[in-house]
Amino acid sequence: MQYNPRRTSDQSGDMMATKSKTVKVRIPATTANCGPGFDSLGIACDIYNILELTLYSENYLHIEISGEGTEYIPTDDKNLVWKVIKDLIDITDAPYKGAYIKMHNAIPLSRGLGSSAAAIAGGLSAANYALNEPLDKNGLLKLATSIEGHPDNVAPAIFGGITISFKDADDIRTFSFLPKLALKMIVTVPQFFLSTKKSRKVLPEKVTLKDAAFNISHVAALTAALCTGNAAVLSYAFADKLHQPYRACLIPGMCEVFTAARQAGALGAAISGAGPSLIAFATENEDLIGQAMVQAFAEHNVDSYYMALNIDNTGVCLI
Ligand code: HSE
């Protein structure tokens, strides 16, 4: 493992702190579950956070944040990006104790678009580049999943595309692909936060065999329809019985927003990740669908806005 440390010297030639090269990465937003693919399916979307990192051998931490959710993100050692960077430094025994971190966030915070996955995938990838890549992408995925608890957001954040992820003994496997049709994602973002923790608390510990079979058949149809570009199959494949019915109580108007999206031409709609954003999938009519979803939320006294997004096929990368 090579860390490529750079030593700086003052004017007298005395050696000062060691710092790493400075790296800048771009991390996509992600939507998870896509209806029936609970904790497995994810898609990288084309809005991005930017993260710049320099590691220092000294105990020094300076964090600058701009963009979405700035006022809610800590700039001390509780910052999630810094915490995961520190994890990678510790795991690789790298000779650094501090960092300069600069972030510009475009991903809405705590809205079901993978803001915490972006912090984890971004922090780990930036540190990995700064340390001359001691881990490959699968190693990053395994570490990121152990921090996040499930792989469905961190996998597309790291690999890009549509990802199917699962646990295989001690490993996390993921498979990334692109659909054979021009899939658009219309994400409607309500003006309230919903933490993943709160949204998982309403889920049952056990589900019936009937509901499990319903989701298995739908997620199989969904992935086959995406791979073959079959819009007719897609139009009934986004249904779910494992998490959305339980989460409806946390998102006012959820079922009506889904109906409005379909009536405006969407192939289907789902909660984006753990919510509260709702996502419609379509091949056309993005603006009509977005406007209909915003209107349906408004009828339940929820302010919202929509974004028409495309799939990001790169995942986190150096810029
Ligand atoms: N699969 C996760 C959930 C996504 O639905 O809780 C949120 O991170």
Side-chain angles (χ1 to χ4, degrees):
M1 248 179 253
Q2 284 200 330
Y3 297 113
N4 190 23
R6 292 180 182 177
R7 288 201 166 267
T8 53
S9 59
D10 63 13
Q11 285 177 346
S12 68
D14 286 343
M15 294 313 281
M16 311 260 295
T18 301
K19 62 176 182 172
S20 71
K21 62 187 171 190
T22 295
V23 297
K24 203 175 189 181
V25 296
R26 185 186 85 166
I27 319 106
T30 49
T31 182
N33 300 329
C34 310
F38 181 70
D39 276 0
S40 177
L41 277 193
I43 308 181
C45 310
D46 63 348
I47 46 172
Y48 303 96
N49 287 356
I50 306 293
L51 171 58
E52 189 179 316
L53 171 69
T54 312
L55 297 172
Y56 283 86
S57 59
E58 294 170 321
N59 253 330
Y60 158 84
L61 183 62
H62 182 86
I63 302 178
E64 274 176 46
I65 305 174
S66 59
E68 285 285 338
T70 300
E71 62 273 40
Y72 302 104
I73 304 172
T75 52
D76 56 14
D77 60 4
K78 292 188 182 63
N79 182 278
L80 180 57
V81 170
W82 165 243
K83 286 209 264 190
V84 305
I85 291 169
K86 187 79 177 49
D87 284 347
L88 190 63
I89 289 172
D90 291 346
I91 288 166
T92 56
D93 247 344
Y96 297 106
K97 291 191 191 128
Y100 167 79
I101 298 167
K102 189 174 172 183
M103 295 183 241
H104 182 77
N105 298 331
I107 304 172
L109 197 68
S110 274
R111 297 305 215 298
L113 284 164
S115 56
S116 70
I120 295 167
L124 289 179
S125 299
N128 199 47
Y129 284 125
L131 299 175
N132 290 326
E133 301 186 62
L135 297 188
D136 63 12
K137 283 198 170 196
N138 287 314
L140 287 174
L141 174 65
K142 190 172 175 184
L143 182 53
T145 303
S146 72
I147 298 167
E148 175 83 331
H150 35 85
D152 49 341
N153 285 104
V154 288
I158 293 170
F159 288 88
I162 301 177
T163 50
I164 301 171
S165 311
F166 51 95
K167 265 198 178 147
D168 176 27
D170 274 349
D171 265 324
I172 304 295
R173 310 262 179 221
T174 198
F175 169 73
S176 169
F177 68 99
L178 287 178
K180 253 203 180 154
L181 77 180
L183 192 73
K184 301 278 178 195
M185 296 170 288
I186 304 98
V187 181
T188 304
V189 185
Q191 301 287 22
F192 65 90
F193 296 121
L194 176 58
S195 72
T196 298
K197 197 173 167 193
K198 184 172 174 191
S199 187
R200 288 181 88 85
K201 250 196 169 152
V202 297
L203 302 182
E205 275 292 312
K206 292 184 177 168
V207 296
T208 63
L209 189 61
K210 204 171 148 196
D211 287 351
F214 179 94
N215 268 54
I216 289 167
S217 51
H218 279 73
V219 78
L222 175 56
T223 43
L226 289 168
C227 289
T228 55
N230 190 326
V233 173
L234 272 185
S235 70
Y236 54 77
F238 288 100
D240 158 77
K241 289 201 176 179
L242 293 189
H243 67 108
Q244 295 184 167
Y246 306 99
R247 287 172 161 168
C249 61
L250 302 172
I251 308 172
M254 181 190 90
C255 295
E256 292 79 1
V257 176
F258 288 169
T259 304
R262 288 189 78 103
Q263 284 173 349
L267 295 166
I271 300 178
S272 181
S277 294
L278 302 180
I279 183 166
F281 299 91
T283 52
E284 55 189 1
N285 296 327
E286 299 97 285
D287 288 323
L288 279 179
I289 294 165
Q291 286 156 13
M293 293 171 82
V294 167
Q295 175 62 31
F297 255 142
E299 282 161 19
H300 287 81
N301 299 317
V302 176
D303 283 337
S304 67
Y305 66 94
Y306 75 91
M307 299 183 281
L309 304 176
N310 295 298
I311 298 176
D312 162 273
N313 189 29
T314 311
V316 59
C317 61
L318 272 178
I319 52 171

